[in-house]
């Protein structure tokens, strides 16, 4: 899909090695004589996911959802938009949820609009037990972080960012 608004079809893909996994984006560039691709960003992902990452391009935004961990899992959703002036992918949003897949402990959820600095952090309290276990998500905090340009290569770790959000940072 077109990630930088130039009308050309750009490419996003994930490469997995034995002990590594990374997201790559390349912008298509058309000159009078040729069409070629220019690297626009790379993000190192957890090498051992719980399944394949999902990627969607919607309205010029690359949305990547990744699930990592084990019984305690972290689901992260990254949103990136390409810049027209240069071949760079900018982080515009990060959502993360840490939870127990067996409801063994409490969890946390965060949604961060990187463009505005708005953060919504939710504490997920475990209620019930066994097959009736669920999470209560009524404890919500809203705060701002300084808004600054963050590019794909500098994207913070979702779990670490979630930990800071739960402390209101």
């Amino acid at each position: 899909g077109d990630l930088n608004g130039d009308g050309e079809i750009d490419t996003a893909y994930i490469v997995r090695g034995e002990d590594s996994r990374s997201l790559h984006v390349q912008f298509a560039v058309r000159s009078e004589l040729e069409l070629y691709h220019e690297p626009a960003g790379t993000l190192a992902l957890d090498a051992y996911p719980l399944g394949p990452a999902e990627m969607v391009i919607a309205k010029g935004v690359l949305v990547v959802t990744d699930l990592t961990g084990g019984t305690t899992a972290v689901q992260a959703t990254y949103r990136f938009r390409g810049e027209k002036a240069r071949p760079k992918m900018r982080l515009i949003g990060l959502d993360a949820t840490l939870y127990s897949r067996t409801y063994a402990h409490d969890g946390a959820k965060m949604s961060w609009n990187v463009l505005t600095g708005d953060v919504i952090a939710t504490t997920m309290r475990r209620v019930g037990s066994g097959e009736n276990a669920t999470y209560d998500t009524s404890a919500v905090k809203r705060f701002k972080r300084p808004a600054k340009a963050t590019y794909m290569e500098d994207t913070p770790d979702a779990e670490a960012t979630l930990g800071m959000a739960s402390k209101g940072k």
Side-chain angles (χ1 to χ4, degrees):
D2 184 7
L3 293 168
N4 60 351
D6 66 357
E8 300 295 337
I9 301 300
D10 304 311
T11 305
Y13 56 96
I14 294 176
V15 175
R16 181 168 185 170
E18 193 170 310
D19 292 321
S20 64
R21 195 169 58 113
S22 55
L23 167 66
H24 300 267
V25 175
Q26 295 201 355
F27 289 164
V29 179
R30 186 179 303 274
S31 71
E32 289 182 23
L33 302 174
E34 65 182 337
L35 173 67
Y36 61 95
H37 287 84
E38 192 167 37
T42 300
L43 172 64
L45 298 169
D46 187 301
Y48 307 103
L50 289 174
E54 296 176 19
M55 290 191 297
V56 175
I57 297 174
K59 298 180 182 176
V61 175
L62 174 62
V63 180
V64 179
T65 302
D66 199 23
L67 182 63
T68 60
T71 329
T72 297
V74 175
Q75 180 175 333
T77 300
Y78 304 93
R79 288 176 199 71
F80 298 98
R81 181 176 290 134
E83 292 197 343
K84 290 182 183 181
R86 56 187 171 156
K88 287 292 228 179
M89 290 296 289
R90 184 174 177 180
L91 178 68
I92 62 172
L94 173 57
D95 298 341
T97 304
L98 178 133
Y99 63 100
S100 168
R101 296 182 334 151
T102 60
Y103 294 98
H105 55 74
D106 293 340
K109 184 190 276 189
M110 172 211 63
S111 180
W112 176 25
N113 181 326
V114 180
L115 297 175
T116 65
D118 293 331
V119 178
I120 301 169
T122 305
T123 301
M124 299 168 44
R125 300 276 181 227
R126 181 178 54 124
V127 292
S129 61
E131 291 182 13
N132 297 322
T134 188
Y135 283 114
D136 173 20
T137 58
S138 60
V140 177
K141 290 188 254 180
R142 296 175 188 270
F143 58 93
K144 276 197 169 291
R145 283 188 172 154
K148 65 176 188 166
T150 303
Y151 295 100
M152 185 176 269
E153 293 79 13
D154 303 318
T155 297
D157 175 75
E159 189 170 355
T161 304
L162 182 61
M164 291 184 343
S166 66
K167 296 175 184 159
K169 296 181 182 178

